Amino acid sequence: MTAPAKPLRRDAVRNREQILQAATTAFAERGANVDVRKIARAAGVGMGTLYRHFATKDHLLGAVIKRDIDAWMDEALQAAQESAPWAGLETFLETALARQIADRALMDGVFRVLASTSLLDECRSRMSEVVNLLLDRAHRAGELRPDVGEADIALTMMSIGKIVELTEDARPGLWRRQLRITLDGLRAAGHTPITEPPLTIADLDAAVCHSLPKLENS
């Protein structure tokens, strides 16, 4: 049996929180390429202290992303339970994309970082809970086309996220137009049959992991 981890001392807890707060600000403003020495200085700690808490920059970025996703999922779950079915789905997608704009770190390799720090399954599980609740409510209300699944929503977020990356500097907010068009395509009313089978989440994970080396080398 593995011995339980010892709780951190009060000063260590404070240092860890200061590092996370400084990293959250730095990653959001400058993206994942920010120098960790700047994060350590902003947190008021030495590099040794930073590395005692986070062995690599990916571990630090992963911790920041996980905390951000946890807070977002808590908000999204409450909103999903309180809103009308279609409005809940709209709000979730719009919020997801707005958060990408506000936090550049989410646009700088979230899949790569979460996978490298063994956090992908944990974060995916939280998001799946919310997305499937939204899909189930919208399906039962007859507002969402019946052949739309969780992987379709993930692909929608990824594709419009790419539009954000390409157009936001030149045309801020253009992505909202593309989201409106996409949402109309997700509605049950007037939908046309799709012959191509949907991706599963496992298929999507495999595709993303396969593409990561190409993306990092491009």
Side-chain angles (χ1 to χ4, degrees):
M1 179 181 295
T2 303
K6 293 182 180 179
L8 293 175
R9 299 192 316 269
R10 184 175 301 176
D11 59 333
V13 171
R14 183 180 64 251
N15 286 341
R16 188 178 192 278
E17 183 59 29
Q18 288 175 182
I19 293 167
L20 282 172
Q21 288 181 359
T24 297
T25 300
F27 286 136
E29 291 177 350
R30 304 183 191 93
N33 291 325
V34 65
D35 192 327
V36 291
R37 290 173 295 185
K38 293 182 179 179
I39 294 174
R41 284 197 296 270
V45 302
M47 289 299 296
T49 298
L50 186 148
Y51 283 127
R52 276 196 296 275
H53 288 280
F54 305 99
T56 68
K57 185 162 81 169
D58 273 3
H59 281 85
L60 176 56
L61 180 53
V64 169
I65 291 173
K66 181 184 180 301
R67 189 162 74 163
D68 187 62
I69 288 176
D70 282 343
W72 173 29
M73 289 302 103
D74 288 342
E75 297 168 6
L77 186 60
Q78 182 174 351
Q81 293 167 335
E82 294 175 353
S83 62
W86 185 258
L89 182 60
E90 280 187 321
T91 299
F92 176 82
L93 289 171
E94 188 164 359
T95 301
L97 293 161
R99 289 178 80 95
Q100 286 190 31
I101 296 169
D103 190 344
R104 287 183 55 193
L106 289 176
M107 300 173 66
D108 282 352
V110 61
F111 288 101
R112 172 184 61 80
V113 170
L114 293 181
S116 70
T117 54
S118 304
L119 291 171
L120 186 59
D121 288 343
E122 190 174 344
C123 290
R124 188 206 295 112
S125 178
R126 290 295 321 274
M127 191 168 292
S128 291
E129 178 187 9
V130 177
V131 170
N132 283 307
L133 172 63
L134 290 166
L135 294 180
D136 181 62
R137 295 181 76 233
H139 278 141
R140 285 191 284 111
E143 296 178 307
L144 177 66
R145 55 183 302 154
D147 50 4
V148 169
E150 182 183 355
D152 295 308
I153 299 302
L155 284 168
T156 294
M157 293 166 62
M158 292 168 64
S159 61
I160 301 182
K162 190 64 176 178
I163 292 172
V164 169
E165 181 182 342
L166 293 172
T167 66
E168 186 62 17
D169 288 342
R171 287 284 304 276
L174 180 66
W175 61 272
R176 296 182 187 277
R177 170 185 170 85
Q178 306 309 129
L179 178 59
R180 291 295 105 196
I181 294 170
T182 300
L183 283 167
D184 282 348
L186 293 174
R187 289 186 182 274
H191 76 272
T192 57
I194 298 175
T195 57
E196 295 81 6
L199 279 178
T200 65
I201 286 295
D203 292 336
L204 180 56
D205 283 348
V208 170
C209 289
H210 178 73
S211 70
L212 285 178
K214 300 176 185 176
L215 293 174
E216 289 171 1
N217 294 328
S218 62

